[in-house]
Amino acid sequence: MSAVMSIPLIFATFYTCGIKQFTNLTQLNCINLLLTGHLFSDSNNVLSDSVCSNYAKGKKDLTNSLRVDLANLTIDAAKDRLSKSAIQDFTIVAKVLAVLLKNAALSENEKNRLLKYYTSEDKLTFIAQVFLTCLKGDNFAPLNNSLISTLESYRYNIDMEEDTGIDTATYLNNGKTAASTCINYNTAIENNNKSSEDFDWMRVHVPGCIINTPPAFIRSKVKIESVLLTLPQDYAAIIYALKPMLTESTYRHFMMKDFTNVMNIDVNENKYNLQAGSLEYLRFEGEIESILTALKYYDFSEMSDFAFQLIGKFTENDVANLEKHLINSSNAMVNILTALIFDREQATVHLTLFAHRCTEKVNAQKSGRPFDGTHKYILQRDRGTNQ
């Protein structure tokens, strides 16, 4: 049996594993709500963005004054804060935290004490008990990328036939797989028994980030990242980049199936291969006006499809201008799929843009002919590799 990883049970691991992935609140608001009882916008006695970031990553211990306040936090008060944290499904959060608890650096007696709440009380009470435990003791333990990936991966590896039957080794092995920067499709396939339209099989081995090469724009006010994607190698990275669209409240309804249809990506059974085609990932960070200006540097004339996401402070007029620019710089019949997430407190806007480059499809769009799918991506799962 493989060695068991010992994860510190602190606020940072609690937040990363059980809260961050399930709340629609911004990190600034969510951490302030949990630790101070107030949203950032509702009080003057709140934590700054940089302080919240340090607490989320375990880079700094909680201040003495904050510890004094939290020492008197009752179970009912903790449940009240959690209930206001914009989490829709406390059952799934409880399951994820139960996995964290089994892998945590705690005595067996303490683990068993907390797990009794998991089996005998409502899920919110269990989450609140874990939260209060995390606030005790030393909260300084910086989380590296591997540990963060492991904590986030628990969400996609929950398979409890009974609430009491948690296999620690299974979750640790899956976590290590997810934390690896190497994409292991066979492992993902072995762990998946779902239909071809369910994308959880890819999330098991999603890397921590996409490696991007920024273009050099002189005096640009926008941080720009761009990379040419290769399928199927980069498909898990695409899912990671789309993660906010899939997990947060969107201004316009977004479906993964819509994205694969617009980008001409097929997901089928048996095995995967790739025909000709080009899919490009671009990410812009800055004020919305600067982003719209920076987009003018790009040649989108051979782009047939776009999918984009905006996070930050912008208006409907900004969205219309973005769509207008993409149409004018490509062709009038270009497909544009949008999924917008508002965060009005954040002046810096993040634009995630996927562009499908296909000359044949562009020509078909301009002439009004149906596209024959010559450059359609074909991504299929190989279930027979180990047979």
Side-chain angles (χ1 to χ4, degrees):
M1 183 174 177
S2 60
V4 175
M5 180 192 303
S6 197
I7 298 176
L9 190 65
I10 58 176
F11 177 77
T13 54
F14 170 82
Y15 175 76
T16 301
C17 182
I19 303 297
K20 180 180 178 180
Q21 303 181 90
F22 304 98
T23 178
N24 292 330
L25 293 179
T26 62
Q27 178 172 286
L28 180 63
N29 268 325
C30 188
I31 291 182
N32 266 290
L33 178 62
L34 292 175
L35 298 182
T36 71
H38 304 285
L39 296 174
F40 182 81
S41 56
D42 294 342
S43 175
N44 293 324
N45 186 25
V46 289
L47 308 173
S48 68
D49 196 14
S50 61
V51 170
C52 289
S53 178
N54 284 327
Y55 286 165
K57 297 176 181 178
K59 291 184 176 180
K60 286 191 176 180
D61 202 352
L62 304 180
T63 62
N64 290 333
S65 59
L66 194 56
R67 282 181 176 278
V68 171
D69 293 338
L70 293 171
N72 298 318
L73 191 66
T74 65
I75 185 66
D76 288 337
K79 289 169 64 175
D80 181 63
R81 293 184 183 187
L82 288 164
S83 65
K84 295 177 180 177
S85 60
I87 294 176
Q88 294 183 347
D89 191 343
F90 285 110
T91 299
I92 188 71
V93 172
K95 288 183 177 181
V96 171
L97 289 177
V99 179
L100 169 62
L101 196 59
K102 292 291 291 185
N103 293 319
L106 281 179
S107 67
E108 289 303 315
N109 287 339
E110 184 65 5
K111 288 182 181 181
N112 292 333
R113 182 187 72 83
L114 291 171
L115 285 173
K116 284 182 179 179
Y117 290 105
Y118 181 77
T119 56
S120 62
E121 299 285 347
D122 63 274
K123 301 310 179 189
L124 182 57
T125 298
F126 166 71
I127 297 169
Q129 289 290 350
V130 176
F131 173 52
L132 292 176
T133 301
C134 290
L135 299 178
K136 301 174 182 178
D138 189 3
N139 263 278
F140 176 70
L143 310 185
N144 56 36
N145 290 334
S146 177
L147 180 54
I148 291 174
S149 296
T150 298
L151 293 169
E152 292 181 345
S153 75
Y154 289 162
R155 173 179 184 174
Y156 307 118
N157 293 280
I158 297 173
D159 185 19
M160 299 182 189
E161 294 184 1
E162 297 181 4
D163 283 346
T164 56
I166 306 170
D167 188 337
T168 304
T170 299
Y171 292 102
L172 281 172
N173 291 337
N174 288 338
K176 290 177 181 177
T177 301
S180 173
T181 56
C182 298
I183 300 176
N184 187 337
Y185 283 88
N186 292 333
T187 300
I189 292 158
E190 291 170 4
N191 292 336
N192 179 73
N193 293 313
K194 298 182 180 180
S195 69
S196 60
E197 293 186 1
D198 191 310
F199 289 83
D200 280 350
W201 66 280
M202 288 174 291
R203 292 174 176 151
V204 174
H205 57 273
V206 166
C209 65
I210 299 177
I211 300 175
N212 303 291
T213 304
F217 287 161
I218 300 176
R219 293 188 296 275
S220 175
K221 296 181 180 180
V222 181
K223 179 181 177 183
I224 305 170
E225 298 170 342
S226 176
V227 66
L228 181 66
L229 300 173
T230 301
L231 296 181
Q233 176 182 328
D234 291 326
Y235 199 50
I238 294 174
I239 302 301
Y240 184 88
L242 289 172
K243 184 179 174 183
M245 297 186 188
L246 302 173
T247 60
E248 299 186 32
S249 295
T250 55
Y251 178 70
R252 298 182 185 177
H253 192 56
F254 180 90
M255 294 291 291
M256 189 65 207
K257 192 173 183 179
D258 294 336
F259 174 78
T260 56
N261 288 340
V262 167
M263 293 292 138
N264 289 94
I265 301 172
D266 272 354
V267 180
N268 301 304
E269 299 289 337
N270 301 323
K271 60 183 178 180
Y272 55 76
N273 57 69
L274 176 65
Q275 294 181 355
S278 171
L279 191 64
E280 299 176 21
Y281 165 91
L282 302 98
R283 189 172 184 275
F284 301 81
E285 180 181 342
E287 294 183 355
I288 186 64
E289 293 82 3
S290 299
I291 291 177
L292 293 173
T293 300
L295 281 170
K296 296 178 182 178
Y297 286 91
Y298 284 87
D299 178 15
F300 291 139
S301 59
E302 295 184 352
M303 299 299 183
S304 58
D305 312 281
F306 294 99
F308 72 81
Q309 171 200 36
L310 280 172
I311 302 177
K313 187 176 182 180
F314 52 88
T315 65
E316 280 285 356
N317 190 51
D318 295 327
V319 176
N321 287 337
L322 173 57
E323 292 181 297
K324 181 179 179 181
H325 174 76
L326 294 177
I327 292 172
N328 291 341
S329 60
S330 53
N331 68 90
M333 301 303 294
V334 65
N335 294 312
I336 300 179
L337 180 65
T338 61
L340 311 179
I341 302 176
F342 285 97
D343 179 4
R344 298 186 183 277
E345 300 171 1
Q346 179 180 320
T348 300
V349 174
H350 297 265
L351 167 65
T352 300
L353 179 67
F354 287 92
H356 182 201
R357 185 183 296 275
C358 182
T359 305
E360 288 81 357
K361 187 173 182 180
V362 170
N363 293 335
Q365 288 173 328
K366 290 180 178 179
S367 63
R369 301 191 313 270
F371 179 56
D372 63 7
T374 303
H375 285 226
K376 181 173 287 190
Y377 300 103
I378 301 176
L379 187 71
Q380 300 176 318
R381 282 176 284 177
D382 188 350
R383 295 184 182 277
T385 304
N386 299 317
Q387 294 181 355

